[in-house]
Amino acid sequence: MILGIGTDLANIDRITGTLERFGNRFKTRVFTDVEQRKSESRKDVAGTYAKRWAAKEACSKALGTGLAMGISWKDMAVTNMRSGQPTMAVTGWAKERLDTMTPEGFEAIIHVTLTDDHPWAQAFVVIEARPKTT
């Protein structure tokens, strides 16, 4: 069953300007160390940050809160599987919110897809509840 859906569209040029203006202050406030390493290793640094920004916004919407109610930017972190497929890990208040959304006897799976076509970066997040297997 679907517990939540979220989407976001981020302007890569806006993220470029934010990176130029605030640099590490912005990066360390919003992105985990893993997200920063991934973004800094890519040819399109700003585009990679923009996709992760959009994913965090989309995840907060799928959680039904937006960036309110105590969710921190770093409570939602995008990583990648070996295949390159993005995944979302949640901690802190985002994890607490996810746990309260998930029915008894189910486990929550967060699906993430990212794309960009300059100047836009887009993310979709779907939170699914699957019956636990014993």
Side-chain angles (χ1 to χ4, degrees):
M1 93 180 63
I2 303 299
L3 298 178
I5 300 170
T7 186
D8 193 67
L9 187 64
N11 186 290
I12 296 169
D13 294 333
R14 180 174 161 248
I15 297 297
T16 298
T18 302
L19 288 167
E20 289 170 355
R21 193 167 49 248
F22 298 106
N24 284 336
R25 189 170 135 212
F26 169 67
K27 293 175 194 176
T28 58
R29 180 175 165 257
V30 176
F31 302 99
T32 65
D33 291 341
V34 171
E35 290 172 313
Q36 290 178 57
R37 281 193 301 275
K38 177 72 169 187
S39 298
E40 296 295 328
S41 73
R42 301 297 290 254
K43 182 178 178 182
D44 183 9
V45 172
T48 305
Y49 277 119
K51 285 186 281 191
R52 278 148 181 74
W53 172 279
K56 291 168 184 273
E57 287 274 8
C59 185
S60 71
K61 292 170 185 175
L63 289 168
T65 63
L67 283 161
M69 300 174 65
I71 290 181
S72 163
W73 287 103
K74 288 186 175 182
D75 285 349
M76 302 164 288
V78 178
T79 59
N80 295 84
M81 297 179 177
R82 283 185 168 278
S83 65
Q85 177 181 343
T87 62
M88 178 71 69
V90 292
T91 58
W93 200 90
K95 173 75 168 115
E96 291 174 24
R97 172 69 179 156
L98 181 63
D99 290 345
T100 63
M101 293 171 59
T102 307
E104 189 71 33
F106 286 77
E107 63 180 336
I109 311 295
I110 302 175
H111 303 278
V112 181
T113 187
L114 307 172
T115 191
D116 65 291
D117 186 7
H118 197 90
W120 301 108
Q122 186 173 32
F124 285 95
V125 171
V126 176
I127 302 174
E128 173 190 12
R130 290 185 188 163
K132 288 183 181 176
T133 56
T134 55

